[in-house]
Amino acid sequence: MTTPLGKDLVGLEHLSRAQIQLLLDTAEPFKEISERAIKKVPTLRGKTIVNLFFEASTRTRVSFEFAEKRLSADTVNVAASGSSVSKGETLVDTARNLEAMRIDMVVIRHGSSGAARFLGERIESNVINAGDGTHEHPTQGLLDMLTLRDNLRRLDGIRVCICGDVLHSRVARSNIWGLRTMGAEVAVCGPRSLLPSAIGEMGVTVFDRIEQAIEWADALNILRLQLERMSAGYIPSLREYNRVFGVTLERLDRAPRELLILHPGPMNRGVEIDSNVADGPHSVILDQVTNGVAVRMAVLYLLAGGRADLAEAAQRAGDDR
Ligand code: CP
C-alpha cells in the first residue's frame, strides 16, 4: 500500500516539509484520545504490531505500546534478552519468523545505526525506527517539534539550540534535519569533543559557550551525556561538564527572553540540567512525553494507510465519553 510517508519511517532526513507537516497535523486530533476516560478508538483494529526493542527504553517503548493499544491494534513486545537473538539468530531471521505469523508492522530500537532501514528493505511489514544507534530517532524529533509548535505557535523562524552530547545523539540528528526542513534556525552547543566532525556541513550554528546559546535561542533541547556510548574520555569529569555546560537557573535568569526547556530523557540531573530547571516553569519535558503518544498514533495511522483528512473522524470513532 502506498502511503504519504512511503512504507517505513526510518528518519526525518529525507522527509519533505509537507510530510512532516502532515505528521504533526495528524497528531493533533489524536492528542485528545489520551485525555478520555476510555482511551481507545477502533482505528487499527485487526492490525498486529511487534515492538522489537534491542536496547533499553522507557519512554519510547511504553509510548508506542500506548499508541498501539489506544488505536486498538494487537501488540507483542520482543526484547533481545529472552528472545532467540540471544542465541545468535539474526535480526532479519527474527523479523521474517515474526512475519510468518502474519504481522503488519515492526517498531524497532537497535544499537546499530542503519538497523531500521536494513530491516525495512528486507521485510514486507512497515518498519518504524524507534532509535537506531547514533543515527536517528524520528518520533522523538517529531514529538519535540510538536511540543515546540504547541508553545511557540510555529516552527518557521524559531531558534532552537541543541545542547550537549550531539556526537552520540540520534535525537540531535532527527531534530536538526526535521527542524531545518520546517524552517527553524538550529544551533548546537557543547564541548568540541562531543560534536560530530562534520557538524559544519549540517547547516547549524555552533556555540562553544552555553551562555551564548542561552542569549541566542528561543528553546534549548538539552541532551543527556551518553556515557554508555563513550569509549574514551570525552570530558574531564561530570562535575567539570556541569560547571561549564550545565543549564542552571542562574544562567537562565540572564536570558534576554523566556526560554523553553526540552530534554528527550532520560536526564542526568545535576550534569547537563539542574533539577530546578528540569522541574521549573520553562520546562516542557513532560509535555514532550505526553505528545509522544499522539505523534506515534499519527505515525502508525498514516503508515497503516489512514488518510490525514479522516484523522479527526478516526479520533471521533468510538467516542463514547
Ligand atoms: N527519549 C527516549 O528515547 O527515551 P527512552 O530511551 O526511555 O525510550
Side-chain angles (χ1 to χ4, degrees):
M1 183 193 302
T2 314
T3 82
L5 302 179
K7 181 175 94 60
D8 306 320
L9 180 67
V10 297
L12 301 187
E13 183 180 6
H14 302 295
L15 291 194
S16 65
R17 190 173 181 138
Q19 286 171 314
I20 292 176
Q21 187 81 41
L22 173 70
L23 280 158
L24 299 180
D25 291 348
T26 306
E28 286 296 341
F30 284 125
K31 284 179 181 174
E32 185 268 336
I33 294 169
S34 296
E35 305 306 322
R36 298 181 184 178
I38 298 170
K39 301 171 177 54
K40 219 170 182 68
V41 289
T43 313
L44 292 189
R45 193 155 58 198
K47 296 283 183 193
T48 304
I49 305 175
V50 177
N51 300 311
L52 276 182
F53 275 71
F54 292 165
E55 255 195 351
S57 169
T58 299
R59 277 149 290 270
T60 312
R61 186 180 57 76
V62 175
S63 179
F64 265 111
E65 201 174 339
F66 277 143
E68 292 154 4
K69 284 182 166 32
R70 288 174 192 177
L71 292 174
S72 301
D74 295 315
T75 68
V76 178
N77 296 317
V78 179
S81 63
S83 79
S84 290
V85 171
S86 64
K87 300 179 196 164
E89 185 170 64
T90 67
L91 173 61
V92 172
D93 277 338
T94 299
R96 284 193 180 141
N97 276 275
L98 295 168
E99 277 202 310
M101 295 183 236
R102 304 292 177 253
I103 62 170
D104 299 291
M105 293 190 191
V106 175
V107 176
I108 179 170
R109 169 166 287 194
H110 201 282
S112 299
S113 302
R117 180 179 300 281
F118 179 83
L119 190 64
E121 287 168 353
R122 285 161 181 81
I123 65 174
E124 284 178 24
S125 309
N126 305 103
V127 172
I128 302 168
N129 183 4
D132 61 333
T134 60
H135 172 231
E136 278 226 42
H137 192 348
T139 55
Q140 180 72 45
L142 289 166
L143 74 89
D144 290 346
M145 284 192 277
L146 188 61
T147 309
L148 287 163
R149 194 176 76 168
D150 285 350
N151 285 277
L152 301 174
R153 293 179 297 284
R154 66 196 165 94
L155 293 174
D156 199 26
I158 67 167
R159 291 177 158 188
V160 182
C161 185
I162 300 166
C163 304
D165 184 0
V166 179
L167 180 67
H168 297 103
S169 178
R170 51 199 177 207
V171 174
R173 281 165 188 73
S174 289
N175 266 275
I176 290 170
W177 283 316
L179 282 165
R180 290 201 63 238
T181 300
M182 298 310 288
E185 287 184 57
V186 184
V188 295
C189 176
R192 288 284 166 160
S193 59
L194 289 177
L195 300 181
S197 53
I199 193 72
E201 292 154 33
M202 296 183 83
V204 300
T205 304
V206 178
F207 293 121
D208 292 311
R209 297 181 59 243
I210 192 71
E211 292 81 2
Q212 295 171 308
I214 288 171
E215 194 174 325
W216 176 85
D218 298 310
L220 302 182
N221 198 343
I222 304 163
L223 303 174
R224 178 175 73 92
L225 282 185
Q226 298 197 32
L227 301 170
E228 75 279 14
R229 293 193 210 275
M230 292 188 193
S231 53
Y234 289 87
I235 50 167
S237 70
L238 296 183
R239 202 163 145 204
E240 180 79 357
Y241 182 86
N242 178 257
R243 197 179 63 75
V244 179
F245 287 102
V247 179
T248 64
L249 216 45
E250 296 69 44
R251 286 187 164 132
L252 288 187
D253 278 345
R254 285 186 222 119
R257 63 191 77 77
E258 289 206 348
L259 275 179
L260 214 55
I261 299 295
L262 295 90
H263 192 306
M267 287 185 276
N268 294 311
R269 287 175 183 260
V271 181
E272 70 269 3
I273 186 168
D274 280 5
S275 272
N276 50 13
V277 174
D279 305 326
H282 306 305
S283 169
V284 289
I285 293 170
L286 292 178
D287 298 332
Q288 290 172 264
V289 179
T290 304
N291 275 341
V293 178
V295 156
R296 290 170 178 126
M297 289 168 98
V299 171
L300 295 165
Y301 172 75
L302 290 171
L303 284 182
R307 279 178 36 198
D309 57 332
L310 297 182
E312 282 200 37
Q315 170 259 340
R316 282 196 304 274
D319 190 347
D320 44 10
R321 290 162 297 158

